[in-house]
Amino acid sequence: MTDCPKSQWILILILCIVQIVTGNYGLWADWWSYEGISGPEYWGLLYPDWLLCSKGRNQSPVNVDPKTLLFDPSLDHIMFKGNEFTGYLVNNGHDITFDIEELRWKGVNITGGPVSYNYRIKEIRLHFGTDDSYGSEHSINGKSFPAEIHIMAYNSDLYSNITEAEKSPRGMLILAIFAQTTDVTHGEFEILVNAMNKTKYKDSTKVREFYLSRLLPPTDYYITYEGSLTHPGCYETVTWVILNKPIYISKKQIDTMRKLNQAGRKNPQMLMAGNLRPRKDVNQRTIRTNINFHNHKCSMVQHMYYSVNNKYAET
Ligand SMILES: *[C@@H]1O[C@H](CO)[C@@H](O)[C@H](O)[C@H]1NC(C)=O
Ligand SMILES: *[C@@H]1O[C@H](CO)[C@@H](O)[C@H](O)[C@H]1NC(C)=O
Ligand SMILES: *[C@@H]1O[C@H](CO)[C@@H](O)[C@H](O)[C@H]1NC(C)=O
């Protein structure tokens, strides 16, 4: 108990009072942030159901050390069923989320790759920094990217919705894509950027047409590991798939993201940028890849964004 900083006890005290007054844990679900006493260091204390945020040993995000990557020949290509989405771009105060409508004739499912179930895409979340030096949640060899896009899919073979799936075994697959900045506008990403005009403050707006294939970078290669959600409750139910190439968005596009606010119009100084969780230890996990460095035909060697596994790159 002696190693518990004073500020934590004050926080616990405040939360207990809140709890007594409200008698309702549900209220806390909105009460977290990326800094200060409601920030990532304290998520695990905010709500009993979020214990894994502080105690979990299979947490995300992580830094990927290329030297430890393991080539796994049993990893298939990822398969997408469907292509088009509609939904709402929501500024919920923590994140900017594209909340996808579950319609029978639209939407995209993911199978193959490292998973054996059908995963239905339900949300796309964006994480980004205040400048280009950081922003991605994962890093490769200690290197951050300006932004990271999370395509969040839930196991629809076993579970009826994302709320149930995110707490349950094999519940989630998150496809992570890094974004690098350039001078060229990314056409499909621009649809979300345009919608951000209407979600600068806590708000939501309809997105009528969005094609996943036009967003994704052209690659079949990825890195995969078992981890957690990167926001509360940090449930360890996620198979992560990190694509080996970034997409390119323009400086103007990322600048629009950086103007997003966490709060209502009354607190315009609270920018959302910097909405990333600090990296967690890999511990005993294995990070696998379908990139066979031994017969390095894949384009990754030419565009060495991630200098990977020199040990196997020879011959
Ligand atoms: C995706 O999966 C859901 C539920 O398993 C199914 O209802 C839907 O038709 C599938 N969509 C496509 C495009 O395959
Ligand atoms: C999700 O599914 C569970 C189990 O079927 C159900 O109890 C719950 O009400 C559903 N939640 C939402 C938000 O639809
Ligand atoms: C964004 O909003 C501003 C003012 O609110 C408007 O002038 C501009 O045309 C809008 N841009 C887009 C792409 O909708």
Side-chain angles (χ1 to χ4, degrees), residues 149 151 177-194 196 210-218 245-254 257:
I149 301 167
I151 298 181
I177 305 158
F178 294 117
Q180 191 62 274
T181 53
T182 175
D183 293 329
V184 184
T185 300
H186 190 296
E188 205 64 11
F189 198 71
E190 186 69 5
I191 293 174
L192 299 184
V193 172
N194 280 336
M196 282 173 204
F210 188 88
Y211 292 93
L212 184 67
S213 65
R214 296 184 191 159
L215 176 74
L216 298 177
K245 282 188 183 174
I247 63 165
Y248 292 89
I249 61 176
S250 70
K251 293 190 182 69
K252 197 165 167 237
Q253 289 181 312
I254 199 162
M257 289 160 67

CSV table of all heavy atoms in Angstrom, one decimal, residues 149 151 177-194 196 210-218 245-254 257:
chain,number,residue,atom,x,y,z
A,149,ILE,N,-5.1,4.2,-37.6
A,149,ILE,CA,-6.6,4.0,-37.9
A,149,ILE,C,-6.9,2.6,-37.4
A,149,ILE,O,-6.2,1.6,-37.8
A,149,ILE,CB,-6.9,4.1,-39.4
A,149,ILE,CG1,-6.5,5.5,-39.9
A,149,ILE,CG2,-8.3,3.8,-39.7
A,149,ILE,CD1,-6.4,5.6,-41.4
A,151,ILE,N,-9.7,-0.3,-37.4
A,151,ILE,CA,-10.9,-0.8,-38.0
A,151,ILE,C,-11.3,-2.0,-37.1
A,151,ILE,O,-10.7,-3.0,-37.0
A,151,ILE,CB,-10.6,-1.3,-39.4
A,151,ILE,CG1,-10.2,-0.1,-40.2
A,151,ILE,CG2,-11.9,-2.0,-40.0
A,151,ILE,CD1,-10.0,-0.3,-41.7
A,177,ILE,N,-4.0,0.4,-39.1
A,177,ILE,CA,-3.3,1.0,-40.3
A,177,ILE,C,-2.6,2.3,-39.9
A,177,ILE,O,-3.2,3.2,-39.3
A,177,ILE,CB,-4.3,1.3,-41.4
A,177,ILE,CG1,-5.1,0.0,-41.8
A,177,ILE,CG2,-3.5,1.8,-42.7
A,177,ILE,CD1,-6.4,0.4,-42.5
A,178,PHE,N,-1.3,2.4,-40.1
A,178,PHE,CA,-0.6,3.6,-39.8
A,178,PHE,C,-0.9,4.6,-40.9
A,178,PHE,O,-1.0,4.2,-42.1
A,178,PHE,CB,0.9,3.4,-39.7
A,178,PHE,CG,1.3,2.5,-38.6
A,178,PHE,CD1,1.9,1.3,-38.8
A,178,PHE,CD2,1.0,2.9,-37.3
A,178,PHE,CE1,2.3,0.5,-37.7
A,178,PHE,CE2,1.4,2.1,-36.2
A,178,PHE,CZ,2.0,0.9,-36.4
A,179,ALA,N,-0.9,5.9,-40.6
A,179,ALA,CA,-1.0,7.0,-41.6
A,179,ALA,C,0.2,7.8,-41.5
A,179,ALA,O,0.6,8.3,-40.4
A,179,ALA,CB,-2.3,7.8,-41.3
A,180,GLN,N,0.8,8.1,-42.7
A,180,GLN,CA,2.0,8.9,-42.8
A,180,GLN,C,1.5,10.2,-43.6
A,180,GLN,O,0.5,10.1,-44.3
A,180,GLN,CB,3.0,8.1,-43.7
A,180,GLN,CG,4.3,8.7,-43.8
A,180,GLN,CD,5.0,8.8,-42.4
A,180,GLN,OE1,4.9,9.7,-41.7
A,180,GLN,NE2,5.8,7.7,-42.1
A,181,THR,N,2.1,11.3,-43.3
A,181,THR,CA,1.7,12.5,-44.0
A,181,THR,C,2.5,12.8,-45.2
A,181,THR,O,3.7,12.4,-45.3
A,181,THR,CB,1.7,13.8,-43.1
A,181,THR,OG1,3.0,13.9,-42.5
A,181,THR,CG2,0.7,13.7,-42.0
A,182,THR,N,1.8,13.5,-46.2
A,182,THR,CA,2.4,13.7,-47.5
A,182,THR,C,1.8,15.0,-48.1
A,182,THR,O,1.0,15.7,-47.3
A,182,THR,CB,2.3,12.5,-48.4
A,182,THR,OG1,2.7,12.8,-49.7
A,182,THR,CG2,0.8,12.1,-48.5
A,183,ASP,N,2.0,15.3,-49.4
A,183,ASP,CA,1.3,16.4,-49.9
A,183,ASP,C,0.0,16.1,-50.6
A,183,ASP,O,-0.8,16.9,-51.0
A,183,ASP,CB,2.3,17.1,-51.0
A,183,ASP,CG,3.5,17.7,-50.3
A,183,ASP,OD1,3.3,18.1,-49.1
A,183,ASP,OD2,4.5,17.7,-50.9
A,184,VAL,N,-0.2,14.8,-50.8
A,184,VAL,CA,-1.3,14.3,-51.6
A,184,VAL,C,-2.5,14.0,-50.7
A,184,VAL,O,-2.4,13.4,-49.7
A,184,VAL,CB,-1.0,13.1,-52.5
A,184,VAL,CG1,-2.1,12.7,-53.4
A,184,VAL,CG2,0.3,13.4,-53.3
A,185,THR,N,-3.7,14.5,-51.2
A,185,THR,CA,-4.9,14.2,-50.4
A,185,THR,C,-5.4,12.7,-50.6
A,185,THR,O,-5.3,12.2,-51.8
A,185,THR,CB,-6.1,15.1,-51.0
A,185,THR,OG1,-5.6,16.5,-50.8
A,185,THR,CG2,-7.4,14.9,-50.3
A,186,HIS,N,-5.7,12.0,-49.5
A,186,HIS,CA,-6.2,10.7,-49.7
A,186,HIS,C,-7.7,10.8,-49.9
A,186,HIS,O,-8.5,11.3,-49.1
A,186,HIS,CB,-6.0,9.9,-48.4
A,186,HIS,CG,-6.2,8.5,-48.4
A,186,HIS,ND1,-7.5,8.0,-48.7
A,186,HIS,CD2,-5.4,7.4,-48.4
A,186,HIS,CE1,-7.5,6.6,-48.7
A,186,HIS,NE2,-6.2,6.2,-48.5
A,187,GLY,N,-8.1,10.3,-51.1
A,187,GLY,CA,-9.5,10.5,-51.6
A,187,GLY,C,-10.6,9.9,-50.6
A,187,GLY,O,-11.5,10.6,-50.3
A,188,GLU,N,-10.4,8.7,-50.2
A,188,GLU,CA,-11.5,8.1,-49.4
A,188,GLU,C,-11.4,8.7,-47.9
A,188,GLU,O,-12.5,8.9,-47.3
A,188,GLU,CB,-11.3,6.6,-49.3
A,188,GLU,CG,-12.6,5.8,-49.0
A,188,GLU,CD,-13.7,6.0,-50.1
A,188,GLU,OE1,-13.4,6.5,-51.2
A,188,GLU,OE2,-14.8,5.7,-49.8
A,189,PHE,N,-10.2,8.9,-47.5
A,189,PHE,CA,-10.1,9.5,-46.1
A,189,PHE,C,-10.7,10.9,-46.1
A,189,PHE,O,-11.2,11.3,-45.0
A,189,PHE,CB,-8.6,9.6,-45.7
A,189,PHE,CG,-8.4,9.8,-44.3
A,189,PHE,CD1,-8.7,8.7,-43.4
A,189,PHE,CD2,-8.0,11.0,-43.8
A,189,PHE,CE1,-8.5,8.9,-42.0
A,189,PHE,CE2,-7.8,11.2,-42.4
A,189,PHE,CZ,-8.0,10.1,-41.5
A,190,GLU,N,-10.7,11.6,-47.2
A,190,GLU,CA,-11.3,12.9,-47.3
A,190,GLU,C,-12.8,12.9,-47.0
A,190,GLU,O,-13.3,13.9,-46.5
A,190,GLU,CB,-11.1,13.5,-48.7
A,190,GLU,CG,-11.5,14.9,-49.0
A,190,GLU,CD,-10.6,15.9,-48.3
A,190,GLU,OE1,-9.6,15.5,-47.6
A,190,GLU,OE2,-11.0,17.1,-48.3
A,191,ILE,N,-13.5,11.8,-47.2
A,191,ILE,CA,-14.9,11.7,-46.8
A,191,ILE,C,-15.1,11.9,-45.3
A,191,ILE,O,-15.9,12.6,-44.9
A,191,ILE,CB,-15.5,10.3,-47.3
A,191,ILE,CG1,-15.5,10.3,-48.8
A,191,ILE,CG2,-16.9,10.1,-46.7
A,191,ILE,CD1,-15.9,8.9,-49.4
A,192,LEU,N,-14.2,11.2,-44.6
A,192,LEU,CA,-14.2,11.4,-43.1
A,192,LEU,C,-13.8,12.8,-42.7
A,192,LEU,O,-14.4,13.4,-41.8
A,192,LEU,CB,-13.3,10.4,-42.4
A,192,LEU,CG,-13.7,8.9,-42.7
A,192,LEU,CD1,-12.8,8.0,-41.9
A,192,LEU,CD2,-15.2,8.6,-42.3
A,193,VAL,N,-12.7,13.3,-43.4
A,193,VAL,CA,-12.2,14.7,-43.0
A,193,VAL,C,-13.3,15.7,-43.3
A,193,VAL,O,-13.5,16.6,-42.5
A,193,VAL,CB,-11.0,15.0,-43.9
A,193,VAL,CG1,-10.6,16.4,-43.7
A,193,VAL,CG2,-9.8,14.1,-43.5
A,194,ASN,N,-14.1,15.6,-44.4
A,194,ASN,CA,-15.2,16.5,-44.7
A,194,ASN,C,-16.2,16.4,-43.6
A,194,ASN,O,-16.7,17.4,-43.1
A,194,ASN,CB,-15.8,16.2,-46.0
A,194,ASN,CG,-15.0,16.8,-47.1
A,194,ASN,OD1,-14.3,17.7,-46.9
A,194,ASN,ND2,-15.1,16.2,-48.3
A,196,MET,N,-15.7,15.7,-40.6
A,196,MET,CA,-15.2,16.3,-39.3
A,196,MET,C,-15.5,17.8,-39.2
A,196,MET,O,-15.5,18.3,-38.1
A,196,MET,CB,-13.6,16.1,-39.3
A,196,MET,CG,-13.2,14.7,-38.9
A,196,MET,SD,-11.5,14.6,-39.1
A,196,MET,CE,-11.3,12.8,-39.3
A,210,PHE,N,-18.9,5.0,-48.0
A,210,PHE,CA,-17.5,4.9,-47.7
A,210,PHE,C,-17.1,3.5,-48.1
A,210,PHE,O,-17.7,2.5,-47.8
A,210,PHE,CB,-17.3,5.1,-46.2
A,210,PHE,CG,-15.9,5.2,-45.8
A,210,PHE,CD1,-15.2,6.4,-45.8
A,210,PHE,CD2,-15.1,4.0,-45.5
A,210,PHE,CE1,-13.9,6.5,-45.5
A,210,PHE,CE2,-13.8,4.1,-45.1
A,210,PHE,CZ,-13.2,5.3,-45.1
A,211,TYR,N,-16.0,3.4,-48.9
A,211,TYR,CA,-15.5,2.1,-49.4
A,211,TYR,C,-14.2,1.7,-48.8
A,211,TYR,O,-13.2,2.4,-48.9
A,211,TYR,CB,-15.4,2.1,-51.0
A,211,TYR,CG,-16.7,2.3,-51.7
A,211,TYR,CD1,-17.2,3.5,-52.0
A,211,TYR,CD2,-17.4,1.2,-51.9
A,211,TYR,CE1,-18.4,3.7,-52.6
A,211,TYR,CE2,-18.7,1.3,-52.6
A,211,TYR,CZ,-19.1,2.5,-52.9
A,211,TYR,OH,-20.4,2.6,-53.5
A,212,LEU,N,-14.3,0.6,-48.1
A,212,LEU,CA,-13.1,0.1,-47.3
A,212,LEU,C,-11.9,-0.1,-48.3
A,212,LEU,O,-10.8,0.3,-47.9
A,212,LEU,CB,-13.4,-1.2,-46.6
A,212,LEU,CG,-12.2,-1.7,-45.7
A,212,LEU,CD1,-12.0,-0.7,-44.6
A,212,LEU,CD2,-12.5,-3.0,-45.1
A,213,SER,N,-12.1,-0.7,-49.4
A,213,SER,CA,-11.0,-1.1,-50.3
A,213,SER,C,-10.3,0.2,-50.8
A,213,SER,O,-9.1,0.1,-51.1
A,213,SER,CB,-11.5,-1.8,-51.5
A,213,SER,OG,-12.3,-1.0,-52.3
A,214,ARG,N,-10.9,1.3,-50.8
A,214,ARG,CA,-10.3,2.5,-51.2
A,214,ARG,C,-9.5,3.2,-50.1
A,214,ARG,O,-8.7,4.1,-50.3
A,214,ARG,CB,-11.3,3.6,-51.7
A,214,ARG,CG,-12.0,3.1,-52.9
A,214,ARG,CD,-13.0,4.2,-53.4
A,214,ARG,NE,-13.9,3.7,-54.4
A,214,ARG,CZ,-15.0,4.3,-54.7
A,214,ARG,NH1,-15.4,5.4,-54.1
A,214,ARG,NH2,-15.8,3.8,-55.7
A,215,LEU,N,-9.7,2.7,-48.9
A,215,LEU,CA,-9.0,3.3,-47.7
A,215,LEU,C,-7.7,2.5,-47.5
A,215,LEU,O,-6.7,3.1,-47.2
A,215,LEU,CB,-9.8,3.2,-46.4
A,215,LEU,CG,-9.1,3.6,-45.2
A,215,LEU,CD1,-9.0,5.2,-45.2
A,215,LEU,CD2,-9.9,3.2,-43.9
A,216,LEU,N,-7.8,1.2,-47.7
A,216,LEU,CA,-6.7,0.3,-47.3
A,216,LEU,C,-5.4,0.5,-48.2
A,216,LEU,O,-5.5,0.8,-49.4
A,216,LEU,CB,-7.1,-1.2,-47.4
A,216,LEU,CG,-8.2,-1.6,-46.5
A,216,LEU,CD1,-8.6,-3.0,-46.7
A,216,LEU,CD2,-7.9,-1.3,-45.0
A,217,PRO,N,-4.2,0.3,-47.6
A,217,PRO,CA,-3.0,0.3,-48.4
A,217,PRO,C,-2.9,-1.0,-49.2
A,217,PRO,O,-3.5,-2.0,-48.8
A,217,PRO,CB,-1.9,0.4,-47.4
A,217,PRO,CG,-2.5,-0.2,-46.2
A,217,PRO,CD,-3.9,0.1,-46.2
A,218,PRO,N,-2.3,-1.0,-50.3
A,218,PRO,CA,-2.2,-2.2,-51.2
A,218,PRO,C,-1.2,-3.2,-50.6
A,218,PRO,O,0.0,-3.1,-50.9
A,218,PRO,CB,-1.8,-1.6,-52.5
A,218,PRO,CG,-1.0,-0.4,-52.2
A,218,PRO,CD,-1.5,0.1,-50.9
A,245,LYS,N,2.1,-1.7,-44.4
A,245,LYS,CA,2.3,-0.4,-45.2
A,245,LYS,C,1.4,0.6,-44.6
A,245,LYS,O,0.2,0.3,-44.3
A,245,LYS,CB,2.0,-0.6,-46.6
A,245,LYS,CG,3.1,-1.3,-47.4
A,245,LYS,CD,2.8,-1.2,-48.9
A,245,LYS,CE,3.8,-2.0,-49.7
A,245,LYS,NZ,3.4,-2.0,-51.1
A,246,PRO,N,1.8,1.9,-44.6
A,246,PRO,CA,0.9,2.9,-44.1
A,246,PRO,C,0.1,3.4,-45.3
A,246,PRO,O,0.3,3.1,-46.4
A,246,PRO,CB,1.9,4.0,-43.7
A,246,PRO,CG,3.1,3.8,-44.5
A,246,PRO,CD,3.2,2.4,-44.8
A,247,ILE,N,-1.0,4.2,-45.0
A,247,ILE,CA,-1.6,5.0,-46.0
A,247,ILE,C,-1.0,6.4,-45.9
A,247,ILE,O,-0.4,6.8,-44.9
A,247,ILE,CB,-3.1,5.0,-45.9
A,247,ILE,CG1,-3.6,5.7,-44.6
A,247,ILE,CG2,-3.7,3.6,-46.0
A,247,ILE,CD1,-5.1,6.1,-44.6
A,248,TYR,N,-1.2,7.2,-47.0
A,248,TYR,CA,-0.7,8.5,-47.0
A,248,TYR,C,-1.9,9.5,-47.0
A,248,TYR,O,-2.8,9.4,-47.9
A,248,TYR,CB,0.2,8.7,-48.2
A,248,TYR,CG,1.4,7.9,-48.1
A,248,TYR,CD1,1.5,6.6,-48.5
A,248,TYR,CD2,2.5,8.4,-47.4
A,248,TYR,CE1,2.6,5.8,-48.4
A,248,TYR,CE2,3.7,7.7,-47.3
A,248,TYR,CZ,3.7,6.4,-47.7
A,248,TYR,OH,4.8,5.6,-47.5
A,249,ILE,N,-1.8,10.4,-46.0
A,249,ILE,CA,-2.9,11.5,-46.0
A,249,ILE,C,-2.1,12.8,-46.1
A,249,ILE,O,-0.9,12.9,-45.8
A,249,ILE,CB,-3.7,11.4,-44.7
A,249,ILE,CG1,-2.9,11.6,-43.5
A,249,ILE,CG2,-4.5,10.0,-44.7
A,249,ILE,CD1,-3.7,11.6,-42.2
A,250,SER,N,-2.9,13.8,-46.5
A,250,SER,CA,-2.2,15.1,-46.6
A,250,SER,C,-2.0,15.9,-45.3
A,250,SER,O,-2.8,15.6,-44.3
A,250,SER,CB,-2.9,16.0,-47.6
A,250,SER,OG,-4.1,16.4,-47.1
A,251,LYS,N,-1.1,16.8,-45.3
A,251,LYS,CA,-1.0,17.6,-44.1
A,251,LYS,C,-2.2,18.4,-43.7
A,251,LYS,O,-2.6,18.5,-42.6
A,251,LYS,CB,0.2,18.6,-44.3
A,251,LYS,CG,1.5,17.9,-44.4
A,251,LYS,CD,2.7,18.9,-44.4
A,251,LYS,CE,4.0,18.2,-44.6
A,251,LYS,NZ,4.2,17.7,-46.0
A,252,LYS,N,-2.9,18.8,-44.8
A,252,LYS,CA,-4.2,19.5,-44.6
A,252,LYS,C,-5.2,18.6,-43.9
A,252,LYS,O,-5.9,19.0,-43.0
A,252,LYS,CB,-4.7,20.0,-45.9
A,252,LYS,CG,-5.7,21.1,-45.8
A,252,LYS,CD,-6.0,21.8,-47.1
A,252,LYS,CE,-7.2,22.6,-47.0
A,252,LYS,NZ,-8.2,22.3,-48.0
A,253,GLN,N,-5.2,17.3,-44.3
A,253,GLN,CA,-6.2,16.4,-43.7
A,253,GLN,C,-5.9,16.2,-42.2
A,253,GLN,O,-6.8,16.2,-41.4
A,253,GLN,CB,-6.2,15.1,-44.5
A,253,GLN,CG,-6.8,15.2,-45.9
A,253,GLN,CD,-6.8,13.9,-46.7
A,253,GLN,OE1,-5.8,13.2,-46.7
A,253,GLN,NE2,-7.9,13.5,-47.3
A,254,ILE,N,-4.6,16.0,-41.9
A,254,ILE,CA,-4.3,15.7,-40.5
A,254,ILE,C,-4.5,17.0,-39.7
A,254,ILE,O,-4.9,16.9,-38.5
A,254,ILE,CB,-2.9,15.1,-40.3
A,254,ILE,CG1,-2.9,14.4,-38.9
A,254,ILE,CG2,-1.8,16.1,-40.5
A,254,ILE,CD1,-1.8,13.4,-38.8
A,257,MET,N,-8.0,17.1,-38.5
A,257,MET,CA,-8.2,16.2,-37.4
A,257,MET,C,-7.7,16.9,-36.1
A,257,MET,O,-8.3,16.8,-35.0
A,257,MET,CB,-7.4,14.9,-37.6
A,257,MET,CG,-8.0,14.0,-38.6
A,257,MET,SD,-6.8,12.8,-39.3
A,257,MET,CE,-6.6,11.7,-37.9
